[in-house]
Amino acid sequence: MDLPDSSGIHDIKIETSVGVVDVTLSVPKVLDDQPRPLVLVLHYAGQPTSFYGRPLIEFLVEPSFAHMDPILFAPTSLGGDWKQAHNVTAVLELIELFSGRYPVDEKRRIITGYSMGAIGSWHLSTQHPNLFSAALPVAGFPVPLPSCVIPTHVILSRDDEVFPIAKFLQEIEQRHDNNLQYSLIERAGHYDISAFLEPFKNAIESMRE
């Protein structure tokens, strides 16, 4: 299929083997042969509307990765969460599609997500570690925590009313995981996405180092 070459954020529909997926795609200002990071963005829970992950690209992920000129994409789930087989299949096919169409650096394929998308990030990065070089879950974690197969930096709030931080701290006390880092922020509720922007940027820099 024809995919956009022009810079900016595009809302497109892509046919996969499990159905038509609404995808928000961000193309960098300069698209040449230089290999670029590919960043998969998984959206939060709720009743998905068309291009449901676009706000995460616009207000969190794109500003944080701008200095790296990445290719970003946020699919809309086909019902259910990101652990369900049909959504995993769609995501895997989209990664293959974009990696074949754009100059993607396969050593810099990154997965991130918010809330339900954070749990999806944990799931996909542990089930398919060969596809990703790093994971950045935000405002969410599964219980029990799986072992991190790739470098993973999770960002959580001490005041999250949906994912209590005490449970996360209890989980990590019971294990030693060299691939896991975490950042905790203060006075931010679960739905205050803007509060995670600066910690998200810092996590990216920490993982680059």
Side-chain angles (χ1 to χ4, degrees), residues 15 21 34 37 45-46 59 61 70 106-107 111 115 141-142 163 181 188 195:
E15 180 76 47
V21 180
Q34 183 69 28
F59 302 118
V61 182
E106 294 188 358
K107 295 182 179 179
I111 183 169
S115 189
F141 56 90
F163 291 89
Q181 293 181 292

Side-chain angles (χ1 to χ4, degrees), residues 158 164-174 182 184:
R158 292 186 183 274
I165 193 63
K167 187 62 179 177
F168 175 78
L169 296 176
Q170 180 183 358
E171 286 280 316
I172 63 173
E173 284 176 0
Q174 299 172 1
Y182 64 94
L184 304 180

Side-chain angles (χ1 to χ4, degrees), residues 50 53 62 74 76 84 101 104 113 124 137 149 151 187 197 201:
S50 296
E62 188 177 60
T76 301
Q84 294 191 346
R101 173 62 179 79
V104 170
L124 279 159
V149 187
R187 296 182 296 277
L197 178 58
K201 291 179 179 179

Side-chain angles (χ1 to χ4, degrees), residues 42-43 82 112-123 136-142 154:
L42 301 180
H43 64 67
W82 293 109
T112 187
Y114 195 96
S115 189
M116 181 183 83
I119 295 175
S121 298
W122 287 86
H123 178 74
L136 287 161
V138 182
F141 56 90
V154 58

Side-chain angles (χ1 to χ4, degrees), residues 5-209:
D5 290 321
S6 58
S7 65
I9 298 178
H10 308 268
D11 290 331
I12 55 179
K13 292 181 178 291
I14 298 179
E15 180 76 47
T16 72
S17 65
V18 292
V20 177
V21 180
D22 289 344
V23 180
T24 297
L25 173 69
S26 175
V27 179
K29 292 181 180 179
V30 177
L31 191 63
D32 50 25
D33 293 333
Q34 183 69 28
R36 302 177 184 281
L38 179 69
V39 183
L40 165 61
V41 183
L42 301 180
H43 64 67
Y44 27 69
Q47 183 61 43
T49 54
S50 296
F51 310 105
Y52 197 53
R54 180 171 179 136
L56 284 176
I57 284 186
E58 290 180 317
F59 302 118
L60 181 66
V61 182
E62 188 177 60
S64 300
F65 278 97
H67 59 294
M68 298 173 66
D69 285 333
I71 298 160
L72 315 173
F73 73 100
T76 301
S77 69
L78 295 170
D81 62 36
W82 293 109
K83 296 184 293 183
Q84 294 191 346
H86 60 282
N87 284 320
V88 172
T89 295
V91 164
L92 298 181
E93 290 182 14
L94 291 170
I95 291 172
E96 182 178 4
L97 174 66
F98 293 134
S99 296
R101 173 62 179 79
Y102 296 113
V104 170
D105 184 349
E106 294 188 358
K107 295 182 179 179
R108 291 190 295 167
R109 290 195 296 210
I110 300 161
I111 183 169
T112 187
Y114 195 96
S115 189
M116 181 183 83
I119 295 175
S121 298
W122 287 86
H123 178 74
L124 279 159
S125 64
T126 54
Q127 296 297 312
H128 301 277
N130 59 308
L131 288 178
F132 305 103
S133 56
L136 287 161
V138 182
F141 56 90
V143 176
L145 286 179
S147 296
C148 298
V149 187
I150 63 173
T152 300
H153 194 136
V154 58
I155 307 161
L156 303 169
S157 172
R158 292 186 183 274
D159 301 300
D160 193 313
E161 65 274 27
V162 178
F163 291 89
I165 193 63
K167 187 62 179 177
F168 175 78
L169 296 176
Q170 180 183 358
E171 286 280 316
I172 63 173
E173 284 176 0
Q174 299 172 1
R175 50 186 284 172
H176 180 70
D177 194 332
N178 290 327
N179 280 324
L180 177 62
Q181 293 181 292
Y182 64 94
S183 300
L184 304 180
I185 66 175
E186 311 283 345
R187 296 182 296 277
H190 183 73
Y191 303 98
D192 188 4
I193 295 175
S194 61
F196 291 88
L197 178 58
E198 288 306 316
F200 191 74
K201 291 179 179 179
N202 293 338
I204 293 170
E205 288 305 309
S206 174
M207 296 189 90
R208 288 182 70 188
E209 294 170 4

